[in-house]
Amino acid sequence: MAKNPTGSASDRLPHPFSELLAAATVPPQAEFLVHSVKVVCGRQTETNCCCTAGARPGVYATEVNIQNITGQPAQVAKFFVPLINAGAVIGREPKFADPAKISQHTGELITLPPLAATMDDCCHIAELLLGGPPSGESALTIGYLTIGSFFELAVSAVYTATPLSGDGISIDVEYILPRRLGRGPGQG
């Protein structure tokens, strides 16, 4: 990203971040940092099919934690790109999920105060996808929660999985490093 950006945030960022950050305050000499977090939620049941939709039978949950690790309020843009939505596979090769077509429904812009933290979990992802709070247990949903900001963030993901039998549980914590958003050769 250019050292002295000019114009609005939406002029400099590719869609869907441009829509979310159209009114954002851009700090001087800012780079746009992106965290891409894999999310696995819901129940995958036994199937009689030749292909299980992305996961072995079990119950899955993901919690994504976001902390503003700066001394000033940070605007954070987020959107979810589903590859499997409530059991329906929408992003299996050769198909793909296009965030430019779905982000207006699954995106949001928040402001985190200095050192404040928030989380996104399977309930919030389902609410973004459904347009309202979910009821009951959800079928398997897999995708990416993409988090972007001009400010430094600490992002981690907590993954849990339980077999359908309920015997045992697996838990894993991953720290998601940021990447500078590239716009192509010679553009930033």
Side-chain angles (χ1 to χ4, degrees):
M1 182 147 270
K3 291 292 182 188
N4 293 309
T6 59
S8 70
S10 62
D11 293 337
R12 293 183 307 281
L13 296 173
H15 182 76
F17 282 125
S18 60
E19 286 182 9
L20 293 171
L21 289 173
T25 304
V26 180
Q29 300 182 355
E31 289 189 325
F32 195 70
L33 303 173
V34 176
H35 301 260
S36 184
V37 184
K38 180 74 168 207
V39 173
V40 182
C41 295
R43 175 182 287 270
Q44 173 64 32
T45 59
E46 299 282 349
T47 64
N48 293 326
C49 175
C50 58
C51 182
T52 307
R56 305 300 337 147
V59 180
Y60 297 87
T62 303
E63 173 196 350
V64 179
N65 302 288
I66 306 166
Q67 183 181 24
N68 173 7
I69 56 173
T70 72
Q72 55 191 324
Q75 290 176 312
V76 180
K78 306 181 291 178
F79 63 91
F80 185 72
V81 180
L83 299 172
I84 298 174
N85 187 2
V89 180
I90 57 177
R92 181 182 288 138
E93 178 68 34
K95 296 180 181 177
F96 55 89
D98 185 353
K101 294 180 181 173
I102 58 175
S103 65
Q104 62 271 32
H105 305 293
T106 67
E108 58 189 355
L109 179 65
I110 63 170
T111 300
L112 283 176
L115 302 176
T118 189
M119 71 171 206
D120 289 292
D121 58 12
C122 293
C123 292
H124 188 240
I125 297 296
E127 189 170 330
L128 288 173
L129 289 169
L130 299 172
S135 62
E137 192 169 65
S138 299
L140 187 67
T141 296
I142 297 176
Y144 286 96
L145 179 63
T146 305
I147 303 160
S149 183
F150 289 105
F151 298 88
E152 290 188 60
L153 303 172
V155 177
S156 61
V158 180
Y159 299 98
T160 58
T162 305
L164 289 178
S165 66
D167 296 332
I169 187 168
S170 169
I171 187 167
D172 189 25
V173 178
E174 299 287 333
Y175 296 93
I176 314 301
L177 297 177
R179 295 181 182 250
R180 184 176 69 80
L181 182 67
R183 298 187 307 156
Q187 296 182 12

